[in-house]
Amino acid sequence: MTQAETSFDWIVLGAGPGGYVCALRGAQLGKRVALVEKRPTLGGTCLNVGCIPSKALLHSTEVLTAARDHGSHHGIGGTIEVQLDQLMQHKDEVVAKLVGGVRQLVDGRGITVFTGEGALAGDGEVLVRGEEGELRLRAEAVILATGSRSVELPFLPFDGETILSSDEAIALEAIPEKMVVIGAGAIGLEMGSVWQRLGAEVDVVEFLPRIAAGFDPEISKVAERIFKKQGLRFHKSTKVTGASHGKKGRVVLTAEGPKGEDLSFEADKVLVSVGRAPVSDGLGLEEVGVELDEKKRVKTDGHFRTSVAGVYAIGDLIAGPMLAHKAEEEGVALAEQLAGQAGHVNYFAIPNVIYTDPEIAAVGYGAEAAKEAGHEIRTGRFPIAANGRALATDATEGIVLVHADASTDRLLGVEIVSRNASEMIASAVAHIEYGGSAEDLARTVHAHPTLSEAVKEAALAVDGRALHSL
Ligand code: NAI
């Protein structure tokens, strides 16, 4: 390899949504970019073992429940069987197609990909250790985008067989009879739903007094009632304290319930989904002086600069929500800043979604956060059951909340529990992005019949003028 081939304008470490998008934007802006990735495929956690495969599994199991549980009143019936290997194959095909697509984009923009583990070696150098040995790359800017990994519980280390992280929970070869999910956040609710729909008995153990704790309590309550009806069993304010071997290869978890009582759960598979931690080890950060915070995230200023000149960081590796679209926006903003433009991320307008059925989606403040930020708020509510499209499509469960500032009417937040909430939230994100009011949202024409009309109605309800509810 010649000098020119190891010398770049930028080196990006990690080819997840943060890293590969940053590389693509850099290449668009005329930079010579190297992308270093340890996986054989691009796309990172999100495309390979996270967002995309889980969405494929959620969709497959929605097809199942639509036919099996709701088919009869449409005159659709018969024996429905699940072929798990086929379902997994479909998921794998989706992933393969998408990671192949990213590779095409990256190659098409002239980005050089190095497969191997990259680490900072000081003075703009990166050492890549791959199957073919070591390689030293150089650049004026090194961008760290190495993402995050699942957090273990100290007394319950992942073994990939019985004690699972989401990486394995998307690839089981048989449907477990009994599954315990620890943590009722995004991963726990999504993967718990997948396996419950497929026939597993799923117990979800949550440390906090409510599920989906990233959303307002009202949203948690609505969502819990719906998921319970679907068959998920929740054990809130419950702390798993230990594990031992049970019969038939099962594991027995001991836990402390809400009143301090002893509980135990037997499971074939345990999914531990109690959060993710940044991948900041093994990157040579300490050696070159890149500072970390108390959660081992790379410390950055408002412009993604680390404590070492020429080294930048984005995505799950730094503070903020661990979301693919947040990482992407940071990748674009950083690329533009490095190219002399004014890249910017509006953190207030980052939507948060859990892709259950119904989905849970929110942007801006919840009611509690708005009050904490000093706002007096007015909240409009609209039940999804009052929406015509919902009635026609078996999607009547859920609610929309619109929070506005009581004196200025500025839109402060929108929270949705509804089928397609992940799509419905987009109009609210746009209004928040432009600094719109609840009145702006209420006067925006939404196509009829759509679930999105419920968002408009909830905005009307802020002013007590919802048309389709009393
Ligand atoms: P999470 O932070 O969303 O939820 C973890 C839950 O586990 C919390 O409710 C927490 O109270 C609970 N918990 C923590 N320790 C516990 C313990 N010892 N016993 C019982 N409960 C305990 O984390 P999750 O679901 O693992 O997701 C990790 C990250 O990935 C999050 O930042 C999430 O936003 C992101 N993600 C986002 C997705 C999406 O946007 N749809 C999908 C999957 C992950």
Side-chain angles (χ1 to χ4, degrees), residues 173-354:
E173 286 169 5
I175 299 166
E177 238 175 87
K178 285 173 178 285
M179 178 180 253
V180 170
V181 172
I182 307 180
I187 295 179
L189 292 173
E190 290 181 11
M191 292 316 300
S193 293
V194 163
W195 291 107
Q196 183 271 325
R197 292 170 193 168
L198 287 168
E201 273 179 41
V202 178
D203 285 282
V204 184
V205 181
E206 168 58 53
F207 182 70
L208 295 175
R210 60 196 180 89
I211 71 162
F215 298 82
D216 258 333
E218 188 172 349
I219 292 292
S220 297
K221 210 166 155 187
V222 171
E224 182 181 340
R225 184 181 48 74
I226 300 167
F227 300 151
K228 260 188 186 162
K229 262 203 281 180
Q230 295 172 357
L232 285 175
R233 295 192 296 233
F234 292 104
H235 309 272
K236 298 172 293 176
S237 303
T238 298
K239 190 178 168 192
V240 179
T241 49
S244 58
H245 295 292
K247 288 180 200 147
K248 294 195 281 179
R250 283 185 172 155
V251 63
V252 177
L253 299 178
T254 49
E256 197 182 297
K259 297 185 187 100
E261 71 274 32
D262 291 335
L263 301 172
S264 81
F265 301 92
E266 212 186 29
D268 303 299
K269 303 283 179 191
V270 178
L271 166 62
V272 181
S273 46
V274 296
R276 296 179 63 86
V279 177
S280 54
D281 49 348
L283 300 174
L285 302 187
E286 273 174 45
E287 290 81 343
V288 304
V290 172
E291 283 177 27
L292 304 181
D293 69 12
E294 71 294 347
K295 292 184 172 168
K296 298 243 171 344
R297 299 175 297 198
V298 172
K299 271 195 200 170
T300 51
D301 63 5
H303 297 277
F304 312 109
R305 288 182 288 231
T306 71
S307 53
V308 171
V311 179
Y312 304 82
I314 56 172
D316 285 8
L317 189 59
I318 68 172
M322 288 182 160
L323 297 169
H325 44 281
K326 176 256 194 188
E328 285 186 42
E329 292 304 324
E330 289 182 339
V332 169
L334 172 59
E336 292 177 351
Q337 287 169 16
L338 288 175
Q341 299 185 356
H344 168 75
V345 179
N346 178 1
Y347 288 96
F348 189 61
I350 294 180
N352 185 17
V353 180
I354 300 183

